Amino acid sequence: MSILASRLDRIQPSPTMAVTARARALKAEGRDVIGLGAGEPDFDTPDHVKEAAAKAMADGYTKYTDVPGSIELRTAVAAKFQRENDLTYEPGQIQVACGGKQSIYNGIMATVETGDEVIIPAPYWVSYPDIVLLAEGTPVFVDCPAENRFKMTPDQLEAAITPKTKWVMLNSPSNPTGGAYTRAELKALADVLLRHEHVWVMTDDIYEHVLYDDFEFSTIAQVEPGLYGRTLTLNGVSKAYAMTGWRVGYAAGPQDLISAMNKIQSQSTSHTSSISQAAAIAALEGPQDFSANNKIFKDRRDMVVSMLNQATGIDCLTPEGAFYVYPSCAANIGKTAPDGKTIESDGDFCAYLLEAEGVAAVLGTAFGLAPHFRISYATATELLEDACQRIQRACAALS
């Protein structure tokens, strides 16, 4: 008899982490592999943030903090929401967690019961449905194809809502597509939600500051104040400040919900590292100019989109934000590789790229919309150019 819990059968290990691990393993074997699976900036954490962490250690700030995070950090988060999003939260309405993923986990585990439905636009970040499944909820997927720029329409949202709907999850700019909702598009979705008072909104804004072409970020509680009381707004320092390894995410919402999430966190991680919290304060209260990094990201985006669209059978939209592209490989499905194998899916296509040219990308099936694949352009420009040339070569070799 197995000791393992049956709940494990509902979920899969993170596909993005698996691709990154596979790339590292092949590199260790001596293979020439370019890994484009990891979703983290290749920039270093800003010096003033690292200095704040060093000072915290030198000052003995190495003990437990409150479960929801230190009052100093929650105050800094509240100031950020007021300054950047015109949202007013008290520190008691804010929880700091071990990364954005734990914020989502806490929110879902604190609210979702067996049979509750959670609307998830597809393509989606890979962890959304699995966290819902762990809570014995039911993910309800809404297909958002490229012709809609990977965004959910109000009519689609209306059709997906049932009496069992507990949450709708939004992610803008998006992982995996980089697509972002305009203020008008969010308002149209909000108008639907105003008619369904039992539905709450969980909005993942982690890529808020990674935007291009003068796109203006909005979050749904800011756009429609009538949803403030049933919105959980999620963010963190991982992407904008190049702090993925520091593991600091945060959530803001109604105090009853945050208190319930604190109860969950108190019996799991307790809180994120006190040192990381000190660093996050410095990030939120320090310089907020992201233009230099975003200029590099934009240049990479433009190069990758151009080069992928020159590859046979690839069609790639230009995203508004984040650091991903989500090209279609539909025109290559059914073709034959030089070794005689037929490309029958985006999984086959990604396996072919890895084996033939040493390019590690993530299959679109993992994000709920195929046949696509995700490439992260948060890596060195010269490696990206090399990778895109390899993809062009691999596509040209198909027949």
Side-chain angles (χ1 to χ4, degrees):
M1 178 180 293
S2 174
I3 194 174
L4 302 180
S6 61
R7 72 176 66 91
L8 291 175
D9 297 334
R10 304 186 196 119
I11 65 172
Q12 299 294 327
S14 169
T16 54
M17 295 293 188
V19 167
T20 301
R22 175 63 175 155
R24 285 174 179 161
L26 288 173
K27 285 181 180 180
E29 294 172 7
R31 288 283 305 275
D32 177 16
V33 174
I34 301 176
L36 303 179
E40 62 177 349
D42 57 319
F43 310 125
D44 195 15
T45 301
D47 286 342
H48 72 278
V49 174
K50 294 188 287 186
E51 288 163 6
K55 184 176 187 304
M57 287 186 283
D59 291 348
Y61 190 65
T62 56
K63 308 299 182 183
Y64 292 129
T65 72
D66 292 339
V67 167
S70 70
I71 187 64
E72 293 83 5
L73 177 51
R74 286 181 287 138
T75 299
V77 170
K80 172 262 184 281
F81 278 123
Q82 187 71 66
R83 177 181 70 243
E84 297 181 347
N85 309 115
D86 297 320
L87 292 172
T88 301
Y89 293 106
E90 299 297 325
Q93 293 178 272
I94 293 167
Q95 181 193 68
V96 176
C98 299
K101 185 180 291 188
Q102 189 180 22
S103 296
I104 298 164
Y105 183 88
N106 289 342
I108 292 296
M109 294 301 291
T111 58
V112 171
E113 299 183 285
T114 303
D116 284 345
E117 295 176 352
V118 177
I119 296 172
I120 303 176
Y124 46 73
W125 183 45
V126 294
S127 292
Y128 293 156
D130 282 337
I131 292 172
V132 172
L133 289 167
L134 271 178
E136 299 187 351
T138 302
V140 175
F141 301 116
V142 176
D143 285 346
C144 304
E147 48 264 38
N148 290 347
R149 297 198 62 83
F150 304 118
K151 292 183 279 191
M152 181 170 59
T153 67
D155 287 344
Q156 287 181 306
L157 176 58
E158 183 74 59
I161 293 173
T162 75
K164 294 182 179 180
T165 305
K166 179 68 67 76
W167 290 96
V168 58
M169 301 189 76
L170 298 176
N171 178 209
S172 174
S174 160
N175 177 1
T177 71
Y181 289 92
T182 65
R183 186 180 186 93
E185 288 168 338
L186 285 176
K187 182 63 171 71
L189 295 176
D191 288 343
V192 174
L193 293 166
L194 288 173
R195 298 194 292 270
H196 299 277
E197 296 183 358
H198 67 292
V199 181
W200 285 56
V201 189
M202 187 177 295
T203 178
D204 181 353
D205 299 345
I206 195 72
Y207 296 96
E208 172 184 3
H209 291 299
V210 188
L211 292 165
Y212 317 113
D213 306 320
D214 299 320
F215 188 94
E216 293 187 9
F217 175 82
S218 298
T219 192
I220 196 163
Q222 172 189 24
V223 171
E224 177 46 72
L227 293 176
Y228 173 89
R230 48 189 170 107
T231 297
L232 185 66
T233 303
L234 308 171
N235 213 314
V237 299
S238 296
K239 312 301 182 179
Y241 304 96
M243 294 176 66
T244 51
W246 297 79
R247 308 312 301 138
V248 182
Y250 52 82
Q255 189 155 352
D256 288 351
L257 173 58
I258 296 297
S259 295
M261 292 168 60
N262 290 340
K263 184 183 291 188
I264 296 288
Q265 186 161 294
S266 73
Q267 297 297 353
S268 56
T269 59
S270 294
H271 58 78
T272 195
S273 159
S274 59
I275 307 304
S276 293
Q277 291 187 54
I281 294 170
L284 292 172
E285 294 184 343
Q288 302 297 306
D289 183 3
F290 307 102
S291 59
N293 287 356
N294 283 356
K295 173 64 166 61
I296 295 171
F297 278 146
K298 180 184 182 300
D299 290 345
R300 292 174 178 174
R301 177 202 67 172
D302 293 345
M303 180 191 71
V304 168
V305 169
S306 175
M307 293 187 71
L308 288 178
N309 280 325
Q310 294 173 52
T312 304
I314 301 297
D315 185 19
C316 184
L317 292 179
T318 301
E320 293 87 1
F323 34 71
Y324 310 103
V325 290
Y326 197 64
S328 169
C329 57
N332 285 319
I333 303 302
K335 291 185 177 180
T336 303
D339 64 359
K341 293 181 181 178
T342 301
I343 306 297
E344 297 181 349
S345 65
D346 51 19
D348 288 345
F349 181 77
C350 288
Y352 167 62
L353 290 182
L354 183 58
E355 295 305 321
E357 291 287 352
V359 175
V362 188
L363 70 164
T365 301
F367 304 100
L369 189 70
H372 289 262
F373 60 105
R374 190 195 79 172
I375 282 177
S376 166
Y377 51 87
T379 192
T381 303
E382 58 272 18
L383 287 178
L384 286 170
E385 185 174 11
D386 186 2
C388 288
Q389 290 171 346
R390 297 184 189 197
I391 293 171
Q392 289 175 347
R393 193 161 58 233
C395 290
L398 296 173
S399 60

